Amino acid sequence: CLYSKPVGDDDHSEHGLHAVQHQPARQGENDRTTQMTQAYQANRRASAASVPKFEGGRFNNETDAQFEKRKADEEKREEEQKGDIERRSKVKAAAQQSMLAESKKLGNKYMNTLAELVPQDVSLPVKDIVQAYKCMCYCRAAFGLLNESGTEVQEQLDELERVNARIEQEANGSSDHRKAIDSMWRQVGWDLPRGKREKWAKRLEEELQENMKPRQKEELEGFLRGYMDEESLKGVARKMVRYLLSSTFTDTSVERNLLMDDVTPFLQEYARRRGFECVTTEMRWGIRSEASADHQTSEICMQELDRCITESGGINYILIAGQKYGFRPPPNKIKESEFKALMQHVKHEEDRALLEETFQLDTNNVVENQYVLQSRTDSGNWNEKFTRMQRALRQAAADLWSTHLSELRKPDSEHPIKWYFFSVTEEEVSRGLFWREDRNQKAYVFKREIEGLEQIATDSTRKGGPLVADYIDMVDDDLDPEAAKLLKEQQQQMIPAVLDKTRLKEYKALKWGPGIKSEEPTHQDYLREFADDFCTLMLQSIDDAVAEAAIEPDPVVDEARDHLRFAFMRAKTFTVTSAATEVTQQIAKYLSEQHDQLSPHNKRAAFVVWGPSGVGKTYVMCDAVEKASAKCNAPEGGVKGSVVVRFLGTTPDSSNVQALLKSLCMQLSRLYPQDTAEAEDLLPTDFKELCMLFRRQLVEWVSPEQPLYLFLDSIDQLDDSNAGRRLE
C-alpha cells in the first residue's frame, strides 16, 4: 500500500513520499475472527430451515382457512386490475377521438410538405432526405394513436411507411433505391459513378505537377509598402473554385440533378487532391421560406454570385440556358427619390394606393432612405396584388424613363429601368457575364433547346400537358409574348455580342419527352454529353487555378497582402456618416502633419480610435488605410512612404503580441534594410529583445524621407500572453 502525505518536519525522505508495508495480525485476533464466522454461518442455516415452502399451490405451514382467504384476496385484486384496464381503455379511446380532427389536419399538412420534398422521379440531396425523414417522424407522432381510426388515416400511414422505406434503403445502400435518390448516372445509362469509370479514374489519379513561379519584384515591393492596387488585391482569398449554377429552375432540374449526383462529387475530390476546394452554389437549396416571403430570393442569389466572383480562382458563373425567361419580380427595395418619381407616373389611383400600401419607407439607411416591399405573409390575396403591382410599376418606369427604353437590351447597361423588366435569371446573367470584363475567362454558357416547344405549348389539344409550363413562360395557359421576346433578344443578340464563341456550347434540339426524360434514349445521349462537357470544363478551370496559385511562398509578403486585402474590401463599402465625419477629419489631419512639425510630445503619440463594439471603427480604419496608401502611391508629388497594417486576430501571426511583433519586425526589416545583425532571418527570439528592436525600428530606422504609416486594428483581439493587451 502506497500513500503520500505533505512534507513535514518529521519526514526523513527527500520528497516526503513514504512506502509502508502492512504486517499480518496477531494470532489471538485470528482465533476470535474464526469463532465469529462459524456462529454467523450456523445462524443462517437455522433461519433458512424456518422459511415456509410453497408446494402444490399453497404454503406448507398454511391452514385451510388461511388458504381460502388468500385465494379470495387474489381474485378481488385481479377484478380491480381488470376494471382499471377497461377504464383506461375508454379514456384512451376518448382521447383518440378528440385528437382525430387535429391530427388529421396536421398529417395532411405535413404529407403535402413530404410530397414536395420527396418527388418520385428526381434525385434528392442528402439535406432534403434528412428534412423529409424529420417530417415523416413528425407525421408518425401525429398519427401515433390513430392506427384503428379509419382507412383514410391508415392510407396516409402506409404512404409514410413507403417513403420511410425509400430513405432507409438509401441509408443502407440499397440498389433498388438508387434510381430514386442518388443515381442519376444510372438513369442516363452509366454503370458506374464518374470516379470509377476508366477515363475519369485515370484523370483523378494523375499526379500534380507543381511548378512554383517566382514572385514579381514589383508585386513584392507593392505588398510590402502597402500599395492597394485593385488588380493585385482582388485575388483569391482561398484556394478555391466557386461557381454559381444559373438557370431557371423548373426546366433544368434534370440537368442540375445529374450534375449534383455525378459531376460535383468528382470535381470536389479532384480539387481536394490538389489542395483546392470546388464549390457549387446551387440556389435551389438553402433559401428559407421566410426569406422568400420577404422577397429576398433575388437579393440572396446576387450575394452568392458576388461571393463566387470574389472568391473563385477559376470559373465563377455558368449559365444553363433553356427556353424559359423566368420570374420577373419588381425590386424589393426602391430608393425614396425613385419611388416618389414613379408614383407621379402611376396612372390609376387604386394602383398608387396599392403600391403605397405594399411598400413601406425604411429610414434606417446611411446613404438614402428606401421603400421596402412588405412580406407577402402580411397581405391577403397576394397573387392578385402582385400582378397589379408588377404591371403598374412597369408602366410607371417606362413613362419615367421613356427616353432610356433602349437601355433595356444593352448588355453593358446598368440603368435602373432594367430592374422593373428583367427576370431574376437575367440579373444573374448581367452580373455574372454582361457586366464583367473577365467574362471570357470566368463565365460559360450551355444552351439546350426543345424542338417545337412553342407549338406544343399552344396546341389546342394541350398535348404538352401541365408540364409544358415548366419549360416555357406561360400566362393564363397562353404563351407570354413579352417574356419570349426578352429571352430571344438575350440569347440571340446580347450574349453573342459580348461572349466569345469558345465560351458557348450549344446542343442539338431535342424532342419533347414530355420534358427532359432521363429514360428517353436521345435525351440520355444529350445528358451524358452535357455532363462530360461540364466536367471537362471545370477540370480545366481547376487546373488553371492550381497553376495560377503555384507561387513561391513568402510568409512576410503573404501576411502583408492578406491584411491589405481585408482593408481594401471594406474600404470599398465604407460610407461616411455624420457621426464618423469628425473622426475621419481628425485622422486625415494627423496623417497629413509632417514629422518635423509635430510637437515633442506628439512625435511619440499614437492616434487612437476608441468606441463600443459595432460602431464602425474597423471601417473607419480601412478608409484611413486606403487614403494613406493613395498618398504614398501618388504618381507625382506623393510621399514615397510605406503603409503597414494589421487587423489583429484575423490571421495566426496577428493573434498574440509576440507573433505580431515578429511579423511587423520582419516586414520593417525588408522596408528599411540596415547593416546590422537584425536582418530578417536573425530576429531575436526573446520577447523583451523583440520589443526593443521594434521600438528602435520605429524611432531610428524610419525617416521623414521614407515615412511609415502603421495601423493596428482591434487591439482587444490580442490574447493576454506577454501582457499583450497592456500595450507596454
Side-chain angles (χ1 to χ4, degrees):
C1 175
L2 294 177
Y3 74 97
S4 64
K5 68 175 184 177
V7 177
D9 294 337
D10 58 342
D11 291 321
H12 301 290
S13 67
E14 181 180 358
H15 300 292
L17 182 62
H18 299 259
V20 180
Q21 183 176 2
H22 286 268
Q23 302 297 323
R26 291 188 294 274
Q27 185 63 39
E29 293 178 352
N30 287 339
D31 294 341
R32 285 193 296 274
T33 300
T34 301
Q35 294 172 2
M36 292 175 64
T37 300
Q38 292 174 350
Y40 172 74
Q41 292 175 348
N43 187 35
R44 288 197 61 184
R45 285 193 295 270
S47 298
S50 64
V51 174
K53 296 182 180 180
F54 189 79
E55 296 177 352
R58 59 187 298 172
F59 294 101
N60 59 356
N61 62 348
E62 187 177 37
T63 65
D64 292 341
Q66 291 173 333
F67 172 73
E68 294 297 334
K69 184 177 183 305
R70 182 172 61 80
K71 292 290 290 183
D73 291 342
E74 290 177 354
E75 291 174 357
K76 182 179 179 180
R77 284 195 297 271
E78 289 178 359
E79 289 294 328
E80 291 176 350
Q81 291 175 357
K82 185 177 180 181
D84 289 341
I85 293 173
E86 291 178 353
R87 283 192 295 273
R88 285 196 295 269
S89 298
K90 291 179 180 179
V91 171
K92 181 178 179 181
Q96 289 176 341
Q97 293 300 321
S98 65
M99 292 176 61
L100 177 59
E102 184 63 24
S103 295
K104 287 176 65 177
K105 181 179 178 181
L106 283 173
N108 288 328
K109 173 183 175 182
Y110 283 94
M111 278 298 300
N112 292 334
T113 303
L114 197 61
E116 296 175 359
L117 290 174
V118 192
Q120 298 294 321
D121 58 345
V122 300
S123 66
L124 281 176
V126 173
K127 183 173 68 174
D128 282 354
I129 297 174
V130 173
Q131 189 176 358
Y133 186 79
K134 290 180 179 178
C135 178
M136 190 256 338
C137 292
Y138 188 94
C139 294
R140 274 183 164 176
F143 289 128
L145 299 177
L146 306 176
N147 287 326
E148 300 176 358
S149 300
T151 57
E152 181 181 354
V153 173
Q154 190 60 47
E155 288 174 358
Q156 292 177 329
L157 281 170
D158 292 341
E159 177 61 22
L160 289 174
E161 289 298 334
R162 284 193 292 271
V163 173
N164 184 43
R166 292 176 59 208
I167 295 172
E168 289 178 349
Q169 286 172 358
E170 166 59 17
N172 295 329
S174 170
S175 59
D176 294 337
H177 184 55
R178 291 181 184 276
K179 295 182 70 175
I181 297 293
D182 78 334
S183 57
M184 281 293 295
W185 48 269
R186 288 184 183 272
Q187 296 184 37
V188 300
W190 280 315
D191 296 328
L192 295 170
R194 185 168 296 268
K196 294 183 179 180
R197 286 175 239 155
E198 183 178 1
K199 171 185 174 181
W200 304 101
K202 289 181 179 179
R203 185 70 184 270
L204 193 63
E205 297 298 331
E206 289 178 356
E207 293 186 4
L208 176 63
Q209 301 294 329
E210 293 190 4
N211 297 316
M212 293 293 182
K213 298 177 294 186
R215 292 178 181 266
Q216 300 295 323
K217 181 180 179 181
E218 296 77 9
E219 179 189 36
L220 293 174
E221 183 176 351
F223 288 145
L224 289 173
R225 294 199 174 277
Y227 295 162
M228 297 179 69
D229 176 66
E230 181 174 1
E231 289 299 319
S232 300
L233 290 174
K234 72 178 183 180
V236 185
R238 292 187 293 172
K239 292 184 175 181
M240 175 186 295
V241 174
R242 178 190 289 271
Y243 63 94
L244 178 76
L245 195 58
S246 174
S247 72
T248 48
F249 291 161
T250 57
D251 61 327
T252 59
S253 61
V254 177
E255 287 93 338
R256 284 173 171 264
N257 291 332
L258 179 59
L259 291 178
M260 300 310 297
D261 174 51
D262 181 65
V263 178
T264 298
F266 179 83
L267 294 177
Q268 291 172 339
E269 177 63 17
Y270 184 86
R272 185 189 65 78
R273 296 191 182 192
R274 284 148 182 79
F276 259 61
E277 288 184 83
C278 183
V279 180
T280 302
T281 301
E282 166 61 274
M283 297 311 300
R284 292 183 301 172
W285 311 338
I287 297 182
R288 297 180 180 273
S289 57
E290 295 86 353
S292 178
D294 290 341
H295 317 286
Q296 296 178 7
T297 300
S298 176
E299 186 175 351
I300 293 173
C301 290
M302 303 314 144
Q303 289 173 353
E304 287 300 315
L305 175 55
D306 289 342
R307 185 180 179 189
C308 292
I309 292 172
T310 301
E311 295 185 357
S312 182
I315 286 178
N316 52 44
Y317 178 78
I318 296 178
L319 171 66
I320 306 176
Q323 289 159 277
K324 191 167 186 176
Y325 188 63
F327 183 50
R328 294 191 289 157
N332 68 321
K333 296 177 182 177
I334 305 175
K335 294 179 181 179
E336 182 180 13
S337 58
E338 185 176 312
F339 185 83
K340 291 181 177 180
L342 287 167
M343 290 303 98
Q344 296 177 5
H345 290 271
V346 176
K347 293 182 178 180
H348 302 290
E349 188 63 33
E350 58 271 20
D351 290 340
R352 185 180 297 107
L354 174 62
L355 291 170
E356 291 174 347
E357 173 192 346
T358 53
F359 281 88
Q360 297 295 319
L361 182 63
D362 179 10
T363 58
N364 298 312
N365 292 279
V366 174
V367 180
E368 183 178 350
N369 294 334
Q370 295 178 327
Y371 277 86
V372 179
L373 184 60
Q374 300 304 291
S375 173
R376 64 170 177 250
T377 58
D378 301 331
S379 177
N381 197 13
W382 171 253
N383 290 335
E384 180 181 345
K385 290 182 178 180
F386 175 82
T387 303
R388 287 176 51 201
M389 178 176 60
Q390 185 185 48
R391 183 173 56 248
L393 282 174
R394 288 178 185 171
Q395 170 265 311
D399 290 347
L400 175 61
W401 293 298
S402 58
T403 59
H404 297 85
L405 292 175
S406 61
E407 299 292 327
L408 276 171
R409 309 318 286 160
K410 290 181 179 179
D412 58 347
S413 173
E414 299 182 41
H415 195 279
I417 192 175
K418 283 194 168 187
W419 273 263
Y420 297 90
F421 288 90
F422 66 7
S423 65
V424 175
T425 303
E426 183 160 312
E427 184 177 358
E428 292 177 356
V429 176
S430 298
R431 293 178 181 271
L433 195 153
F434 292 156
W435 300 343
R436 301 289 303 172
E437 293 183 359
D438 58 355
R439 52 182 168 261
N440 286 318
Q441 294 78 40
K442 301 293 186 178
Y444 200 91
V445 177
F446 294 94
K447 187 173 184 294
R448 178 262 293 152
E449 182 178 332
I450 295 176
E451 185 178 343
L453 185 58
E454 292 186 4
Q455 289 75 15
I456 294 171
T458 56
D459 186 270
S460 58
T461 63
R462 303 296 185 206
K463 65 180 181 181
L467 188 63
V468 74
D470 290 342
Y471 286 81
I472 196 168
D473 299 280
M474 305 283 287
V475 177
D476 298 329
D477 293 333
D478 289 321
L479 288 178
D480 184 343
E482 185 177 9
K485 178 176 179 295
L486 293 172
L487 180 66
K488 182 178 180 180
E489 291 171 345
Q490 177 203 103
Q491 294 186 356
Q492 297 185 10
Q493 300 174 23
M494 299 169 69
I495 291 179
V498 299
L499 192 66
D500 191 270
K501 292 182 179 180
T502 60
R503 308 299 291 180
L504 172 64
K505 173 68 175 181
E506 189 169 357
Y507 295 94
K508 183 180 178 181
L510 302 171
K511 298 289 186 181
W512 177 251
I516 300 296
K517 303 294 289 183
S518 58
E519 299 85 2
E520 217 289 319
T522 58
H523 290 192
Q524 286 183 341
D525 293 341
Y526 151 70
L527 290 169
R528 289 197 298 267
E529 182 183 1
F530 166 73
D532 286 346
D533 291 342
F534 192 101
C535 189
T536 301
L537 171 73
M538 291 309 303
L539 289 180
Q540 186 60 53
S541 181
I542 293 171
D543 288 344
D544 293 343
V546 170
E548 184 68 22
I551 301 175
E552 291 180 353
D554 189 326
V556 179
V557 174
D558 292 340
E559 181 77 3
R561 180 203 61 196
D562 291 344
H563 290 280
L564 280 174
R565 187 177 185 277
F566 185 96
F568 173 75
M569 298 302 295
R570 283 150 185 79
K572 285 171 57 178
T573 58
F574 174 69
T575 303
V576 180
T577 63
S578 56
T581 300
E582 182 179 354
V583 177
T584 56
Q585 289 176 348
Q586 291 187 42
I587 292 176
K589 180 181 177 182
Y590 174 81
L591 295 176
S592 64
E593 290 176 329
Q594 297 295 325
H595 183 78
D596 55 1
Q597 295 175 355
L598 295 175
S599 65
H601 173 72
N602 283 336
K603 285 184 179 180
R604 300 179 61 83
F607 188 97
V608 179
V609 180
W610 179 86
S613 177
V615 298
K617 301 183 298 296
T618 296
Y619 276 81
V620 169
M621 186 74 79
C622 293
D623 179 67
V625 171
E626 184 183 46
K627 288 181 170 59
S629 176
K631 180 179 179 180
C632 293
N633 199 28
E636 293 186 11
V639 179
K640 295 301 181 183
S642 299
V643 175
V644 175
V645 56
R646 294 292 188 272
F647 294 91
L648 307 187
T650 61
T651 63
D653 283 345
S654 64
S655 298
N656 68 77
V657 67
Q658 184 159 3
L660 172 66
L661 286 181
K662 181 179 179 181
S663 172
L664 290 173
C665 288
M666 292 173 69
Q667 186 171 350
L668 293 176
S669 297
R670 302 263 293 263
L671 289 171
Y672 303 95
Q674 305 288 312
D675 295 331
T676 64
E678 290 88 1
E680 178 186 342
D681 54 347
L682 297 175
L683 292 178
T685 56
D686 180 76
F687 178 69
K688 291 184 178 180
E689 294 180 5
L690 198 60
C691 291
M692 294 174 60
L693 171 62
F694 180 61
R695 184 169 308 193
R696 189 161 68 252
Q697 287 177 327
L698 296 181
V699 175
E700 300 177 6
W701 295 11
V702 179
S703 65
E705 293 76 23
Q706 289 186 319
L708 171 68
Y709 299 89
L710 177 62
F711 297 86
L712 300 177
D713 181 70
S714 301
I715 299 295
D716 59 302
Q717 295 300 315
L718 284 174
D719 64 33
D720 208 25
S721 60
N722 291 310
R725 296 175 187 166
R726 295 154 116 194
L727 302 180
E728 294 180 350

